[in-house]
Amino acid sequence: MKPHTRVVWLAYASIALAIVWGVGIIPALYAIKTAKAHPVGAGIEPHIRRDLRGGKLLAQAGLLLNGLVLAVIAWSLVTTLM
């Protein structure tokens, strides 16, 4: 799979996996790492540039969503145990 396609699929997976106890944080971090490894310059084709930027944006949204899910889980555990 091409790296720019992998970034997009990992970003979508991170958002979808946020429902399951915040485990989507792993693909979100991997997607951001992969997107940063491939520079977005003027010589890159437009669809690859669009995939990398969009995938990175989706991965950041997935990271935020997973962080929110993990915070709610931690908050509910702390308030339940105290």
Side-chain angles (χ1 to χ4, degrees):
M1 183 181 295
K2 296 178 183 176
H4 61 91
T5 308
R6 185 179 316 132
V7 169
V8 174
W9 279 104
L10 286 170
Y12 281 126
S14 71
I15 291 173
L17 289 175
I19 299 167
V20 187
W21 290 81
V23 296
I25 203 163
I26 296 166
L29 292 174
Y30 188 68
I32 291 171
K33 179 183 170 189
T34 305
K36 284 184 180 179
H38 300 291
V40 181
I44 295 180
E45 296 178 23
H47 72 281
I48 294 175
R49 186 179 316 127
R50 196 171 39 243
D51 280 352
L52 288 173
R53 286 183 181 164
K56 188 176 177 185
L57 182 67
L58 283 171
Q60 290 172 344
L63 191 63
L64 179 71
L65 187 60
N66 282 290
L68 181 66
V69 167
L70 289 174
V72 168
I73 290 170
W75 178 69
S76 65
L77 286 174
V78 167
T79 57
T80 303
L81 295 175
M82 292 193 163

